[in-house]
Amino acid sequence: MLATSDPETGIIAADRFDMIVAPVDLTLRAAIALKRQTDHPILLVDQLGRLAGLCGDDEIYRGLLRRQ
């Protein structure tokens, strides 16, 4: 089952899911909020619903390190 997230807050609108679908322009703050809620992968999709990437712990760590 897929769960969609709010792109601004990272809040998930489902109770049970296997993957999270989020927009490709998901903010780092929202990605961190999602990963605090679950260990499931975040699938990033473009405006047409095509898979554009995957965001996991490694990508979040890299994003945080680049901001310092």
Side-chain angles (χ1 to χ4, degrees):
M1 175 183 246
L2 296 175
T4 57
S5 71
D6 182 287
E8 299 292 321
T9 64
I11 294 174
I12 303 169
D15 293 334
R16 293 182 169 199
F17 49 88
D18 297 313
M19 288 179 266
I20 303 163
V21 177
V24 71
D25 58 353
L26 183 72
T27 64
L28 184 57
R29 181 180 302 256
I32 292 169
L34 283 172
K35 292 305 286 179
R36 283 184 178 164
Q37 295 177 49
T38 180
D39 285 331
H40 295 301
I42 302 171
L43 301 175
L44 301 172
V45 296
D46 65 11
Q47 295 82 2
L48 298 176
R50 298 177 297 195
L51 182 62
L54 179 71
C55 180
D57 292 335
D58 291 340
E59 289 76 21
I60 290 173
Y61 295 145
R62 273 188 241 130
L64 288 170
L65 291 174
R66 275 187 253 153
R67 288 181 172 228
Q68 294 181 6

